[in-house]
Amino acid sequence: MGLGNIGLPGLLLIAVVVLVLFGRGKISNLMGEVGKGITAFKKGVNEGGKELEDAKADEAKDVTPEDEKDKA
């Protein structure tokens, strides 16, 4: 018996057991923290992508030949 054949009744049973063990308040807090983590992750990915685009834009703007850069 692997995890691939749990099915809907099995998932519902697991959900009920988790709810009974931890209570609604703890699960609500946990889901809030998970949401904050996902939001922070998306923000970090977007900022990282923006930094890469900015770096590429700076490279594209600098068309000075290599031997001329030293004279500046």
Side-chain angles (χ1 to χ4, degrees):
M1 181 173 154
L3 292 177
N5 58 3
I6 290 177
L8 185 60
L11 290 176
L12 289 176
L13 178 65
I14 291 170
V16 168
V17 169
V18 167
L19 186 62
V20 168
L21 287 177
F22 295 106
R24 211 175 89 204
K26 275 226 192 264
I27 292 175
S28 175
N29 289 342
L30 178 64
M31 290 300 116
E33 293 299 321
V34 169
K36 288 178 188 175
I38 291 172
T39 302
F41 177 76
K42 286 182 179 180
K43 184 178 177 185
V45 167
N46 289 337
E47 287 177 358
K50 187 175 183 325
E51 287 179 11
L52 287 176
E53 288 176 10
D54 290 346
K56 287 181 182 179
D58 288 343
E59 287 178 16
K61 288 178 190 173
D62 189 6
V63 293
T64 309
E66 286 297 322
D67 57 346
E68 294 293 323
K69 286 182 182 179
D70 295 334
K71 296 178 183 177

